Coordinates of all heavy atoms in Angstrom, one line a residue:
Chain B
I68 N 6.6 -119.0 19.4 CA 5.5 -118.1 19.0 C 4.6 -117.7 20.2 O 4.3 -116.6 20.3 CB 4.6 -118.9 17.9 CG1 5.4 -119.1 16.6 CG2 3.3 -118.2 17.7 CD1 4.8 -120.1 15.7
A69 N 4.4 -118.7 21.1 CA 3.6 -118.4 22.3 C 4.3 -117.4 23.1 O 3.7 -116.4 23.7 CB 3.4 -119.7 23.1
R70 N 5.7 -117.5 23.2 CA 6.4 -116.5 24.1 C 6.3 -115.1 23.5 O 6.2 -114.2 24.2 CB 7.9 -117.0 24.1 CG 8.7 -116.3 25.2 CD 9.8 -117.1 25.7 NE 10.8 -117.4 24.7 CZ 11.3 -118.6 24.4 NH1 10.8 -119.6 25.1 NH2 12.1 -118.7 23.5
K71 N 6.4 -115.1 22.2 CA 6.3 -113.8 21.5 C 5.0 -113.1 21.8 O 4.9 -112.0 22.1 CB 6.6 -113.9 20.0 CG 6.6 -112.6 19.3 CD 6.6 -112.8 17.8 CE 6.4 -111.4 17.2 NZ 7.5 -111.1 16.3
E72 N 3.9 -113.9 21.7 CA 2.6 -113.4 21.9 C 2.4 -112.9 23.3 O 1.9 -111.8 23.6 CB 1.5 -114.4 21.5 CG 1.4 -114.5 20.0 CD 0.5 -115.6 19.5 OE1 0.0 -116.4 20.4 OE2 0.2 -115.6 18.3
R73 N 3.0 -113.7 24.2 CA 2.9 -113.3 25.6 C 3.7 -111.9 25.9 O 3.1 -111.0 26.5 CB 3.6 -114.4 26.5 CG 3.7 -114.1 28.0 CD 4.4 -115.2 28.7 NE 4.8 -114.8 30.0 CZ 4.0 -114.7 31.1 NH1 2.8 -115.1 30.9 NH2 4.5 -114.3 32.2
L74 N 4.9 -111.9 25.3 CA 5.7 -110.7 25.5 C 5.0 -109.4 24.8 O 5.1 -108.3 25.4 CB 7.1 -110.9 24.9 CG 8.0 -111.9 25.6 CD1 9.3 -112.1 25.0 CD2 8.1 -111.6 27.1
T75 N 4.4 -109.7 23.7 CA 3.7 -108.6 23.0 C 2.6 -108.0 23.9 O 2.4 -106.8 24.0 CB 3.2 -109.0 21.7 OG1 4.2 -109.7 21.0 CG2 2.7 -107.9 20.8
S76 N 1.8 -109.0 24.5 CA 0.7 -108.6 25.3 C 1.2 -107.7 26.5 O 0.6 -106.7 26.9 CB 0.0 -109.8 25.9 OG -0.6 -110.5 24.9
I77 N 2.3 -108.2 27.1 CA 2.8 -107.5 28.3 C 3.4 -106.1 27.9 O 3.2 -105.1 28.6 CB 3.9 -108.3 29.1 CG1 3.3 -109.7 29.5 CG2 4.4 -107.6 30.3 CD1 4.2 -110.6 30.1
A78 N 4.1 -106.1 26.8 CA 4.6 -104.8 26.3 C 3.6 -103.8 26.1 O 3.8 -102.6 26.3 CB 5.4 -105.0 25.0
F84 N 11.2 -104.2 29.1 CA 12.1 -105.3 29.4 C 13.0 -105.6 28.2 O 12.7 -105.1 27.1 CB 11.3 -106.5 29.9 CG 10.1 -106.9 28.9 CD1 10.3 -107.7 27.8 CD2 8.9 -106.3 29.1 CE1 9.3 -108.0 27.0 CE2 7.8 -106.6 28.3 CZ 8.0 -107.4 27.2
D138 N 8.0 -109.0 36.5 CA 8.9 -109.9 35.9 C 8.1 -110.8 34.9 O 7.1 -111.4 35.3 CB 9.6 -110.8 36.9 CG 10.7 -111.6 36.3 OD1 10.6 -112.2 35.2 OD2 11.8 -111.6 36.9
V139 N 8.5 -110.7 33.6 CA 7.6 -111.3 32.6 C 7.7 -112.8 32.5 O 6.8 -113.4 31.8 CB 7.9 -110.6 31.2 CG1 7.7 -109.1 31.3 CG2 9.3 -111.0 30.7
K140 N 8.7 -113.4 33.1 CA 8.7 -114.9 33.0 C 7.9 -115.6 34.1 O 7.7 -116.8 34.1 CB 10.2 -115.4 33.0 CG 10.8 -115.2 34.4 CD 12.2 -115.9 34.5 CE 12.9 -115.6 35.8 NZ 13.6 -114.3 35.8
I141 N 7.6 -114.8 35.2 CA 7.0 -115.4 36.4 C 5.5 -115.5 36.2 O 4.8 -114.5 35.9 CB 7.4 -114.7 37.6 CG1 9.0 -114.8 37.8 CG2 6.8 -115.3 38.9 CD1 9.5 -114.1 38.9
T142 N 4.9 -116.6 36.5 CA 3.5 -116.9 36.4 C 3.0 -117.4 37.8 O 3.9 -117.8 38.6 CB 3.1 -117.9 35.3 OG1 3.8 -119.1 35.7 CG2 3.6 -117.4 33.9
S173 N -2.6 -109.0 31.4 CA -2.6 -107.9 30.4 C -4.0 -107.6 30.0 O -4.9 -108.4 30.1 CB -1.8 -108.4 29.2 OG -2.4 -109.5 28.7
K177 N -4.5 -112.1 27.7 CA -3.7 -113.2 27.2 C -2.6 -113.6 28.1 O -2.1 -114.8 28.0 CB -3.2 -112.9 25.8 CG -4.3 -113.0 24.8 CD -3.7 -112.8 23.4 CE -4.8 -112.8 22.3 NZ -4.3 -112.2 21.1
A178 N -2.0 -112.7 28.9 CA -0.8 -113.0 29.7 C -0.9 -112.6 31.1 O -1.4 -111.5 31.4 CB 0.4 -112.3 29.0
T179 N -0.5 -113.5 32.0 CA -0.5 -113.2 33.4 C 1.0 -113.2 33.9 O 1.7 -114.1 33.5 CB -1.3 -114.2 34.3 OG1 -2.6 -114.2 33.8 CG2 -1.3 -113.9 35.7
F180 N 1.4 -112.2 34.6 CA 2.8 -112.1 35.0 C 2.9 -111.5 36.4 O 2.0 -110.9 36.9 CB 3.5 -111.2 34.0 CG 2.9 -109.8 33.8 CD1 3.5 -108.7 34.5 CD2 1.9 -109.6 33.0 CE1 2.9 -107.5 34.4 CE2 1.3 -108.3 32.8 CZ 1.8 -107.3 33.5
A181 N 4.1 -111.7 37.0 CA 4.3 -111.2 38.4 C 4.5 -109.7 38.5 O 5.2 -109.2 37.7 CB 5.6 -111.9 39.0

Side-chain angles (χ1 to χ4, degrees):
Chain B
I68 291 167
R70 193 153 64 232
K71 185 191 173 121
E72 282 173 354
R73 173 180 166 82
L74 295 177
T75 312
S76 298
I77 300 173
F84 47 89
D138 195 313
V139 302
K140 69 170 174 279
I141 298 176
T142 60
S173 61
K177 284 182 183 166
T179 302
F180 56 97

